[in-house]
Amino acid sequence: MLTVFAAGYLSQPCLAQGKKRIPESWKLGTASGLFPDLTPETLKEVKASGIEHIEVNWKPELVNGTPAERLAFAKDFHRNARKAGLVIWSTHIPYGKKFDLAETDPEKRPDILRNAKEYIDLAMEMKVKQIVIHPSTEPIPDSERAAKIAACRESLKELSVYSKKKGASLNIECLPRTCLGNTSKEILQILDGIDNIGICFDSNHLLKETPQDFVKAVNKRIRTVHISDYDNVNERHWLPGKGIIDWNEVISALVEVGYKGSFMYEAVKKADNNYSFKDLKPNYESLKKAWINQEYAQSIPPKSFLVCGDSKILIVHYNKSRDSIPEIIWSWDAHLAKDLPETFRNRKFNSTDDCKAINDGKQILISSSSGAIAILNVSDKKVVFYAEVPNAHSVAILPGNKIAAAASTHANGNKIMLFDIKKPNEPLFTDSLYSAHGVVWDAKRKSLFALGFDVLREYKIVDGKSLSLNAHWKIPGEGGHELGLTSDENTLFVTEHTGAWTFNLNNHQFTKISGFPDAENIKSLNRDSAGQYIFTIPEKSWWTYHVRFLRPERSFAFPDMKVYKARWFYQ
């Protein structure tokens, strides 16, 4: 058992040579539209958040200003970006009638091309790698489409010669709805014979084919990308994970065609997109982690979630689920686990109450209020660790092959317990904690947080074999239940008898979660990197038959299962 566990948990995925190394070379980038401003101070914050590349979106006041003002901005911005340690990977030539390459009036075309050339010159002032331009405006009636394509091609031929002379890389962007370039077939038709122009792949503009099919069709003509998610009804510019795009498929397609540019986000802050550039790094890391997991372990899609209850653990594909019916893609039942002793198999795992993916999604931590904790592999469903824990309600993996568990109300419970994986029957350390319900390891602070009836505690590891209480805080109510860590590791989710809270790990303040449903005894609360909540609220006694979501709202039914908790598979 221990040998299997060591191979499963301690080893990290070793990326193979060749195409599978490509995602590791992509630099995280974002369009500047997500910045509050373009000041030197903001650029330094952008760099500190983990972003390395940026795309310049021209502000309306500059577009409507003078050529001298635009030139002065380009020089200043390039200098400030360089000082902040940022690379200006791309610029976006403004959109509108003044830049419409598909204009069919021959008298208007010279001014349009002169405007585009000015922005190519400005891009070269900023030492930009890639320049993005839209092939048209809209709407375009079917009766005018052929003429618009012909006009666009004539414009691009002239700009191709100009770009080549300037040493610039110009790319047309795939667009939605009736715009030109709304399919791979049409964008290749537009570019046929114009070899010096590339393509900007915008993942949320493709309403007539999947993003991955577009990538494979246009292949190596992709020189830069715009990354965001959508609902396939219209462009949304959501953070990846919020919409319907299969990001494992998109990344695999980009790898297949050999894309080696920037991973440039073009998410837009709107009423339904409440995030900033600081949210991009955790989102990007979760996409890469999910893709690596798919390539080297099992295919658990990025937008999947765990459900536990009775003797079962389920993994559900969120995007393939329809209406209230969950698409279950993986399951484990303790009653069928022949590698568990009979008492564990038939009794101690009768009421699983927590489940967490670990080791890049290769394994799952499980706790059961019937009296046990375990770790199992996702790929082969082997149980590689188990131990007795009275009324176990939560479990966390710690450095050095240690496991912490919360033992709730029980004659031998009301404590936290620390185990060495190699000695599952010999707890290394215990500390009394009435109604212990949650344990979470915070790698950033090297701390174990534990939740009890009315207190949140922080422990530090001592000598690799015990824990020392470092701090504690009174929670805003009683009956502490859920304890979870956000993907940026700066906030804890805490639920108690009357509501849901966040605990800021920097200033140690509790805050009621704005807009979250007021409910009693919320059993689980989790949020993915795109900002969508997953939670469970009891319907009967301690269990529910539904897993609920917020921002956006959804609900899935599990009529044959007493569900206790649900969590995003990838955080």
Side-chain angles (χ1 to χ4, degrees), residues 273-542:
N273 304 337
N274 188 25
Y275 44 74
S276 76
F277 62 84
K278 295 179 181 178
D279 297 310
L280 300 185
K281 180 71 178 295
N283 185 270
Y284 183 39
E285 292 302 321
S286 72
L287 293 183
K288 288 198 296 183
K289 182 185 291 185
W291 183 81
I292 290 170
N293 176 69
Q294 171 196 254
E295 292 295 303
Y296 301 101
Q298 60 288 321
S299 298
I300 304 300
K303 193 77 170 180
S304 298
F305 60 94
L306 285 157
V307 180
C308 59
D310 297 331
S311 59
K312 301 180 179 67
I313 306 291
L314 309 177
I315 301 178
V316 181
H317 193 315
Y318 179 90
N319 285 331
K320 287 191 176 180
S321 299
R322 292 292 177 263
D323 300 319
S324 64
I325 303 171
E327 179 74 15
I328 299 169
I329 58 174
W330 184 97
S331 65
W332 176 83
D333 189 336
H335 291 170
L336 304 176
K338 300 300 184 183
D339 43 6
L340 281 174
E342 197 220 349
T343 54
F344 282 81
R345 183 170 66 250
N346 294 324
R347 185 164 61 86
K348 292 187 180 295
F349 280 102
N350 277 342
S351 52
T352 59
D353 56 14
D354 202 0
C355 47
K356 301 173 182 176
I358 59 169
N359 191 23
D360 293 335
K362 291 182 178 61
Q363 295 175 312
I364 297 174
L365 281 170
I366 305 169
S367 65
S368 168
S369 59
S370 301
I373 62 173
I375 300 174
L376 67 131
N377 295 332
V378 174
S379 58
D380 57 13
K381 300 184 183 180
K382 287 183 179 179
V383 177
V384 294
F385 169 88
Y386 58 87
E388 288 191 61
V389 173
N391 198 0
H393 264 69
S394 185
V395 62
I397 197 81
L398 279 62
N401 288 340
K402 302 300 188 295
I403 294 179
S408 191
T409 50
H410 186 277
N412 298 315
N414 293 310
K415 59 189 175 183
I416 58 169
M417 305 174 68
L418 183 68
F419 292 89
D420 187 316
I421 286 167
K422 297 177 181 179
K423 301 176 180 179
N425 298 318
E426 303 174 22
L428 296 174
F429 171 87
T430 64
D431 190 24
S432 62
L433 178 60
Y434 178 66
S435 189
H437 262 68
V439 283
V440 168
W441 174 252
D442 178 1
K444 180 183 288 187
R445 293 164 186 81
K446 296 182 174 60
S447 295
L448 177 74
F449 289 91
L451 179 67
F453 181 72
D454 61 359
V455 66
L456 174 65
R457 292 180 180 176
E458 179 185 20
Y459 289 89
K460 296 291 185 180
I461 298 177
V462 179
D463 298 328
K465 58 185 179 180
S466 64
L467 299 171
S468 173
L469 183 62
N470 185 62
H472 61 91
W473 302 269
K474 175 73 171 64
I475 67 173
E478 294 182 338
H481 203 98
E482 167 70 308
L483 185 66
L485 185 66
T486 57
S487 57
D488 62 6
E489 297 185 330
N490 287 323
T491 309
L492 289 171
F493 290 120
V494 177
T495 69
E496 40 81 30
H497 178 62
T498 59
W501 305 76
T502 59
F503 179 72
N504 189 305
L505 289 168
N506 295 319
N507 62 23
H508 302 146
Q509 297 295 311
F510 287 95
T511 305
K512 198 76 179 288
I513 300 177
S514 176
F516 197 81
D518 284 326
E520 292 185 359
N521 300 321
I522 297 169
K523 297 298 184 183
S524 64
L525 172 59
N526 197 221
R527 187 178 68 193
D528 71 358
S529 58
Q532 186 177 21
Y533 289 95
I534 180 173
F535 60 101
T536 56
I537 298 174
E539 295 175 75
K540 292 186 177 182
S541 184
W542 47 263

Side-chain angles (χ1 to χ4, degrees), residues 1 64 71 254 290 372 426 448 503 546:
M1 179 178 74
N64 297 324
L71 180 60
L254 289 169
E426 303 174 22
L448 177 74
F503 179 72
H546 295 85

Side-chain angles (χ1 to χ4, degrees), residues 128-353:
V128 166
K129 308 291 184 184
Q130 305 293 339
I131 305 168
V132 178
I133 191 168
H134 286 189
S136 76
T137 58
E138 67 171 343
I140 298 178
D142 289 344
S143 59
E144 298 178 15
R145 199 161 198 90
K148 290 285 188 182
I149 289 174
C152 181
R153 281 177 53 78
E154 289 304 309
S155 298
L156 287 172
K157 287 175 183 177
E158 184 170 333
L159 291 179
S160 172
V161 173
Y162 189 81
S163 298
K164 188 172 183 179
K165 184 190 304 181
K166 293 287 183 175
S169 176
L170 185 64
N171 309 276
I172 62 169
E173 182 175 349
C174 59
L175 297 177
R177 301 177 299 272
T178 66
C179 296
L180 295 189
N182 60 10
T183 65
S184 56
K185 181 179 179 181
E186 185 169 89
I187 207 165
L188 289 173
Q189 176 189 353
I190 292 169
L191 292 177
D192 184 34
I194 310 175
D195 296 332
N196 196 43
I197 305 291
I199 292 172
C200 171
F201 158 60
D202 189 306
S203 60
N204 101 129
H205 279 173
L206 297 159
L207 305 176
K208 298 185 178 184
E209 62 191 310
T210 67
Q212 56 267 29
D213 286 345
F214 177 91
V215 170
K216 293 174 184 177
V218 302
N219 208 290
K220 295 188 181 297
R221 295 210 71 155
I222 297 175
R223 294 179 184 165
T224 191
V225 300
H226 284 165
I227 298 297
S228 63
D229 217 329
Y230 69 154
D231 55 8
N232 204 32
V233 175
N234 203 350
E235 59 179 325
R236 301 299 182 195
H237 293 280
W238 289 336
L239 207 60
K242 185 173 182 178
I244 57 88
I245 292 177
D246 187 329
W247 288 101
N248 276 351
E249 291 290 335
V250 171
I251 292 174
S252 291
L254 289 169
V255 168
E256 181 179 321
V257 302
Y259 177 71
K260 295 182 181 178
S262 176
F263 200 77
M264 179 67 63
Y265 279 72
E266 198 189 34
V268 178
K269 185 177 178 66
K270 294 180 180 178
D272 61 345
N273 304 337
N274 188 25
Y275 44 74
S276 76
F277 62 84
K278 295 179 181 178
D279 297 310
L280 300 185
K281 180 71 178 295
N283 185 270
Y284 183 39
E285 292 302 321
S286 72
L287 293 183
K288 288 198 296 183
K289 182 185 291 185
W291 183 81
I292 290 170
N293 176 69
Q294 171 196 254
E295 292 295 303
Y296 301 101
Q298 60 288 321
S299 298
I300 304 300
K303 193 77 170 180
S304 298
F305 60 94
L306 285 157
V307 180
C308 59
D310 297 331
S311 59
K312 301 180 179 67
I313 306 291
L314 309 177
I315 301 178
V316 181
H317 193 315
Y318 179 90
N319 285 331
K320 287 191 176 180
S321 299
R322 292 292 177 263
D323 300 319
S324 64
I325 303 171
E327 179 74 15
I328 299 169
I329 58 174
W330 184 97
S331 65
W332 176 83
D333 189 336
H335 291 170
L336 304 176
K338 300 300 184 183
D339 43 6
L340 281 174
E342 197 220 349
T343 54
F344 282 81
R345 183 170 66 250
N346 294 324
R347 185 164 61 86
K348 292 187 180 295
F349 280 102
N350 277 342
S351 52
T352 59
D353 56 14

